[in-house]
Amino acid sequence: MSFFLGVVSSGVATGAAFALVATGFVVIHRVTRVVNFAQGVFSVVAGMLCAALLTLGLPHFLAEVVAILAAIAAGFGVGLVAIGRRGTPPLASLIITLGVGVLSYAVVILLWGDGPVSFSMLQGQVDVGGVTMLWQYVLIVAATAVTFGALMLFFNLTYVGKALTACYSNPHAARLVGIDVRRMGLLAFAIGGGLGGLAGVLLTPLQPVEFDSDVSIAINGFAAAIFGGLLRPGTALVGGLVLGVAEALVSGYSRYASLQSGVALVLILGIMVYQAGRRPEGAE
Amino acid sequence: MILEVRELVVRYGQATALDGVSLEVGEGEMVALVGPNGAGKTTLLNTISGLIRPASGSIRTAGRVVQVPEGRQLFGDMTVEDNLRLGAWRVRDRNLSHIYELFPPLSEMRRRRAYTLSGGEQQMVAVGRALMGGPQLLAVDELSLGLAPLVVQNLAEHVVRLNRESGMAVLLVEQNARLALDICARAYVLEAGRLAMAGQSAELRRSPAVQAAYLGGAVGEGEAVRAPATSPRTAGGGEGGGTAP
Ligand SMILES: Nc1ncnc2c1ncn2[C@@H]1O[C@H](COP(=O)(O)OP(=O)(O)O)[C@@H](O)[C@H]1O
Ligand SMILES: [Mg+2]
């Protein structure tokens, strides 16, 4: 029983981080209609940079904050190349983000080498209702909860948040009222970068990152995101948690821990086939 | 002049949508732009609004121009209040009370999502949203599109009152020429991207060509407002405006 709960708690923690990545996909897709395949890069960059800063002697928290700020800047930069030119069709932007992802390998390897990188997690564990949870898990869950709360407030209560929603709801009308849809898209990319970066600094102590870890991170985030059709952050949160727990159970109870990475892909295929069968009636 | 358009040429790829169009609107004036479907009326408004770059010609404005787009184009899945507030994106003042005074029914619907409103109510939101942008010139694209005659009449009266009371100029694009000529002092007739006629509404109404093409023969006495002859176009959002979930 306690093994089961331990597996679930680790699944919830990684799932929460997937949900952050997923929300990055969702925020960018909602505002720009671009599926940002460079979403995993933000986590890799933040994780690697954070490790490097810690090695240089920066204290925890400060290192994480700087790494997340760098990820925000990276998000903005990816946005600039992906949607910076007026009238770039979303499909072209998508290809550009794929290219940026591959290009990032060169940059990451030049800066930090091609080996796995990690850093120490929050030490110790805590007893939550009979389940011992690593403090790192608690940290991930708490950071995710706070982030989702902040995003909800931002999108539902602030004027800029509503303008972002307006860009998704009706881009033509958004332009007519004077909203600079392209600038809003860049803002969305920056937010997506920050979310990916946060996931990166939270996950790296649990799963060391390499230059090409962006693929598995992006696949997990994407699988969680398409739970809500790439449009609903709330559903992406549920998707992330389900996926995290499912993967933890597969690696905890099967003889082949590496099967875990297949879970997200199976999920993606399942959801896509299901949605493809549904599309004709309920056009999004 | 609040708006001066000179020799405007607009192309979509190879196709020329506007071919040397010149048009003026004076301060506090109400001007109609009529013409058949596909004449280039919406293209002209969108070019004036800065959404389309002209191939040549010039547009000079002396004040803010805000457009009420064809098919209303609301933020369908957002509330009425959010729609109105977003209209004020360019300006500081987000106080909605004058809009609710103008359209009292909207104040009871402020929490409803825009796509759940009737066509007439949606058009009120579209006009209200444009007014939130503090226009000196309100450019209305197909006010009457898809709406019942009484609803159109009510909306038209509101627009006329705004013009009279606040001196806001209006450029009214209409396929319903009878309505447009009734409430605007001056009018332009656009056909296939060129100005076919221009002048005082009273003169145009007497012109046999206008009567034959746009007024369905003789002018019906006392019939101020008529439903549009063509069926509403659904392009770009249609009834709901925006993307309803
Ligand atoms: N986005 C577009 N791309 C290509 N052609 C367009 C576009 N919008 C309008 N047109 C064409 O330009 C012409 C004028 O259209 P429009 O301005 O919508 O006319 P109106 O508003 O008078 O009905 C039409 O022939 C139409 O097919
Ligand atoms: Mg039109």
Side-chain angles (χ1 to χ4, degrees), chain B residues 219-239:
Chain B
V219 185
E221 274 315 311
E223 190 197 354
V225 173
R226 192 186 57 166
T230 49
S231 62
R233 294 203 307 172
T234 46
E239 266 295 291

Side-chain angles (χ1 to χ4, degrees), chain B residues 3-201:
Chain B
L3 172 70
E4 247 183 284
V5 177
R6 289 272 161 269
E7 295 296 324
L8 199 68
V9 177
V10 174
R11 297 200 179 89
Y12 293 111
Q14 295 294 311
T16 303
L18 292 177
D19 192 5
V21 173
S22 299
L23 166 152
E24 298 176 340
V25 180
E27 258 155 65
E29 205 184 6
M30 274 192 80
V31 175
L33 177 65
V34 300
N37 207 344
K41 307 181 296 295
T42 298
T43 301
L44 178 59
L45 287 200
N46 282 341
T47 312
I48 293 168
S49 300
L51 298 186
I52 301 174
R53 204 173 297 172
S56 67
S58 69
I59 297 167
R60 291 234 310 268
T61 53
R64 205 173 2 253
V65 181
V66 182
Q67 192 193 126
V68 179
E70 184 178 326
R72 311 185 245 295
Q73 300 283 351
L74 299 183
F75 303 114
D77 47 4
M78 301 180 78
T79 64
V80 167
E81 186 143 313
D82 284 346
N83 269 272
L84 294 175
R85 270 190 210 289
L86 284 166
W89 183 257
R90 289 191 189 87
V91 292
R92 288 236 182 97
D93 185 8
R94 289 178 219 154
N95 181 4
L96 303 178
S97 57
H98 64 291
I99 306 295
Y100 291 142
E101 266 164 42
L102 184 69
F103 298 119
L106 291 189
S107 83
E108 282 131 51
M109 304 174 185
R110 56 179 83 190
R111 301 251 166 270
R112 275 174 58 186
R113 283 164 191 257
Y115 77 91
T116 67
L117 271 53
S118 73
E121 291 158 356
Q122 288 191 16
Q123 192 65 287
M124 286 181 198
V125 177
V127 172
R129 183 180 66 185
L131 293 174
M132 287 299 293
Q136 272 91 49
L137 170 61
L138 187 71
V140 187
D141 199 353
E142 310 275 11
L143 184 72
S144 68
L145 190 71
L147 301 179
L150 274 177
V151 175
V152 174
Q153 179 142 24
N154 177 275
L155 281 163
E157 278 164 10
H158 277 93
V159 172
V160 171
R161 217 177 73 205
L162 279 164
N163 167 258
R164 296 232 174 95
E165 289 173 5
S166 67
M168 179 187 69
V170 176
L171 177 59
L172 183 69
V173 167
E174 266 295 338
Q175 279 188 49
N176 182 347
R178 191 179 304 261
L179 163 71
L181 294 177
D182 272 340
I183 65 177
C184 298
R186 221 153 52 73
Y188 294 86
V189 180
L190 192 68
E191 285 174 1
R194 292 170 200 251
L195 280 185
M197 273 174 280
Q200 299 298 314
S201 298

Side-chain angles (χ1 to χ4, degrees), chain A residues 216-271:
Chain A
S216 66
I217 294 171
I219 285 175
N220 282 311
F222 185 77
I226 60 170
F227 256 90
L230 277 176
L231 292 172
R232 281 174 284 276
T235 331
L237 177 59
V238 175
L241 294 176
V242 168
L243 183 64
V245 171
E247 290 191 2
L249 290 175
V250 167
S251 74
Y253 284 97
S254 83
R255 286 167 49 208
Y256 309 102
S258 50
L259 276 181
Q260 144 179 32
S261 50
V263 175
L265 284 171
V266 169
L267 197 71
I268 290 174
L269 283 176
I271 292 174

